[in-house]
């Protein structure tokens, strides 16, 4: 029995005993005992307060015997109620304390993770994608209601705090984070998060949501790598549904596939990669990992679309591929990636 049910049970039990005692005093006390007198007598007896007996038991043997049982049962019930109430308060606080410590420990162990600021509707979709692609992340939001809803999506650390506060971002592990998404409701709040996060980690990739399109330039000047307007994206999606419905249908099918998670992802060729100096064909991208190479971007910014098997992979190259997320993580490790994917 959990704490809430236990507390409800004890309150119901106490009320039952109180009503039974009041009925006994009303019946055994005689016609001169009112309902109020009976309830009052039951209450002072069960609580052991010891005020003057409003129902005289001195010349009524059955009533006196009944009163003795009420005292015995009443003391026991009151002790049980107090213990259950104390347990509800103390254990609830301890549970919250242990949960917070567990989450802070989880965050301390994270590396190359993402920080999601805002657990509203936009943040909900960000978290859903990070879960599907097995990326590690922390969610920050000042609203307990938002966090309770988003926590139902899976087991990941959350922080109920102001995302623009330096102490909060430190707790979220911003110095070891890979990127940050600010999807708060107000643009000014996203701006504050951007400025603070950029000062604390100059190498951090920051992506920000903005309601007003004109705020995008300000957010970029404040340190954001990218500013996304949900209204703009929504408009582009409507146009795409209109002029290229089959392409949109294919992308939707890829995103909503249940048997496996198909995504377009990027693989960076690290300095200690076994792929460095090899061709795409030598890396056996398609045979071993079932990945389709879509583009190859060199460090100087030059991009090859639909690269062929003889294209050479060099340190710093970014290979854009499409395939199953699990296979993409395996390919990333072969390319020198050290980040461990989150548990599915």
């Amino acid at each position: 029995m959990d704490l809430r049910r236990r507390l409800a049970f004890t309150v119901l039990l106490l009320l039952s005993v109180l009503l039974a005692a009041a009925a006994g005093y009303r019946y055994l006390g005689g016609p001169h005992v009112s309902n109020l007198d009976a309830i009052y007598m039951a209450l002072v007896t069960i609580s052991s307060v010891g005020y003057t007996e409003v129902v005289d038991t001195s010349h009524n043997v059955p009533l006196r015997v009944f009163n003795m049982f009420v005292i015995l049962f009443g003391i026991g019930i009151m002790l049980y109620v107090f213990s259950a109430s104390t347990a509800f308060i103390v254990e609830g606080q301890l549970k919250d304390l242990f949960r917070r410590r567990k989450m802070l420990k989880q965050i301390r162990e994270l590396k190359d993770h993402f920080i999601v600021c805002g657990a509203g509707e936009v943040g909900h979709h960000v978290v859903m994608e990070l879960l599907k692609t097995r990326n590690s992340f922390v969610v920050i939001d000042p609203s307990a209601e938002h966090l309770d809803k988003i926590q139902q999506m899976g087991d990941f650390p959350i922080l109920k705090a102001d995302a623009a506060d330096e102490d909060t971002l430190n707790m979220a592990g911003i110095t070891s984070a890979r990127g940050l998404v600010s999807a708060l409701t107000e643009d000014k709040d996203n701006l504050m998060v951007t400025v603070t996060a950029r000062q604390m980690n100059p190498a951090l990739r920051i992506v920000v949501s903005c309601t007003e399109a004109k705020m995008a330039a300000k957010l970029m000047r404040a340190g954001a790598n990218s500013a996304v307007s949900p209204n703009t994206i929504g408009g582009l999606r409507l146009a795409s549904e209109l002029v290229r419905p089959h392409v949109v249908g294919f992308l939707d099918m890829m995103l909503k596939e249940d048997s496996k998670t198909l995504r377009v992802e990027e693989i960076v060729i690290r300095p200690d990669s076994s792929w460095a100096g090899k061709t795409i064909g030598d890396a056996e991208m398609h045979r071993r990992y079932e990945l389709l190479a879509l583009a190859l971007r060199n460090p100087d910014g030059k991009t090859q679309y639909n690269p062929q098997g003889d294209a050479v992979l060099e340190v710093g190259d970014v290979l854009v591929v499409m395939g199953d997320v699990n296979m993409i993580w395996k390919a990333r490790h072969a390319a020198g990636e050290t980040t461990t994917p989150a548990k599915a």
Side-chain angles (χ1 to χ4, degrees):
M1 185 183 298
D2 61 25
L3 286 175
R4 292 182 183 276
R5 290 185 178 180
R6 182 181 170 189
L7 184 62
F9 173 75
T10 56
V11 172
L12 182 61
L13 184 62
L14 177 62
L15 290 175
S16 300
V17 172
L18 182 63
L19 291 175
Y25 288 125
R26 178 72 177 83
Y27 176 73
L28 297 174
H32 64 281
V33 177
S34 66
N35 291 332
L36 180 61
D37 289 339
I39 294 173
Y40 182 79
M41 184 69 179
L43 188 60
V44 297
T45 303
I46 290 175
S47 62
S48 301
V49 173
Y51 291 144
T52 302
E53 292 183 351
V54 295
V55 179
D56 186 15
T57 63
S58 59
H59 303 293
N60 191 329
V61 175
L63 183 58
R64 176 152 290 191
V65 173
F66 174 77
N67 198 39
M68 291 167 61
F69 279 103
V70 171
I71 293 172
L72 291 175
F73 280 101
I75 292 175
I77 292 298
M78 289 302 295
L79 289 176
Y80 184 67
V81 170
F82 285 134
S83 65
S85 302
T86 303
F88 179 77
I89 297 172
V90 175
E91 289 181 32
Q93 292 177 344
L94 289 176
K95 185 178 180 180
D96 290 340
L97 178 61
F98 286 135
R99 184 193 308 169
R100 182 174 178 82
R101 286 186 176 180
K102 178 184 177 182
M103 287 189 178
L104 291 177
K105 182 181 178 182
Q106 283 181 306
I107 296 171
R108 285 195 297 268
E109 294 174 351
L110 293 178
K111 184 180 179 182
D112 290 334
H113 60 289
F114 295 101
I115 300 173
V116 180
C117 302
E121 187 174 354
V122 176
H124 178 95
H125 292 290
V126 173
V127 168
M128 184 183 297
E129 179 63 14
L130 292 176
L131 285 172
K132 286 185 176 180
T133 53
R134 299 181 62 189
N135 284 287
S136 301
F137 60 93
V138 182
V139 179
I140 306 173
D141 196 286
S143 170
E145 182 181 357
H146 286 172
L147 292 176
D148 288 341
K149 288 182 179 180
I150 209 164
Q151 189 74 85
Q152 297 174 9
M153 299 174 63
D155 182 20
F156 47 83
I158 60 173
L159 291 173
K160 181 181 178 296
D162 179 10
D165 184 71
E166 291 188 9
D167 292 337
T168 302
L169 292 175
N170 273 325
M171 282 192 291
I174 191 171
T175 55
S176 60
R178 179 178 167 189
L180 178 145
V181 172
S182 187
L184 299 170
T185 306
E186 299 292 335
D187 287 345
K188 58 182 178 60
D189 295 331
N190 289 323
L191 180 62
M192 289 299 299
V193 172
T194 301
V195 172
T196 306
R198 178 56 69 210
Q199 290 176 347
M200 298 179 69
N201 187 346
L204 187 72
R205 177 165 181 79
I206 302 175
V207 180
V208 188
S209 170
C210 59
T211 305
E212 299 181 21
K214 64 181 181 180
M215 279 294 296
K218 293 182 180 180
L219 289 166
M220 299 285 282
R221 289 196 299 270
N225 297 97
S226 179
V228 178
S229 171
N231 292 333
T232 302
I233 298 299
L236 293 175
R237 173 59 188 261
L238 289 172
S240 296
E241 287 278 9
L242 187 65
V243 302
R244 54 185 78 89
H246 297 293
V247 174
V248 174
F250 167 74
L251 294 175
D252 279 347
M253 180 186 67
M254 183 181 71
L255 293 174
K256 297 176 182 178
E257 177 67 38
D258 293 330
S259 59
K260 56 183 179 179
T261 305
L262 298 174
R263 290 293 185 274
V264 176
E265 291 280 1
E266 57 185 50
I267 299 175
V268 180
I269 310 303
R270 309 288 178 178
D272 55 349
S273 172
S274 60
W275 288 3
K278 292 184 178 180
T279 64
I280 291 178
D282 293 335
E284 299 182 308
M285 195 81 57
H286 183 71
R287 188 185 71 82
R288 179 175 296 184
Y289 304 104
E290 300 179 357
L291 300 179
L292 178 63
L294 301 178
L296 178 63
R297 186 177 180 85
N298 306 123
D300 60 3
K302 182 180 178 181
T303 302
Q304 301 178 49
Y305 296 100
N306 189 26
Q308 302 303 306
D310 58 355
V312 180
L313 301 172
E314 301 291 349
V315 174
D317 285 353
V318 178
L319 187 63
V320 180
V321 300
M322 183 176 72
D324 179 60
V325 166
N326 293 324
M327 300 306 291
I328 290 172
W329 276 108
K330 291 181 180 179
R332 280 175 171 166
H333 289 154
E337 176 71 65
T338 58
T339 304
T340 303
K343 294 181 180 179

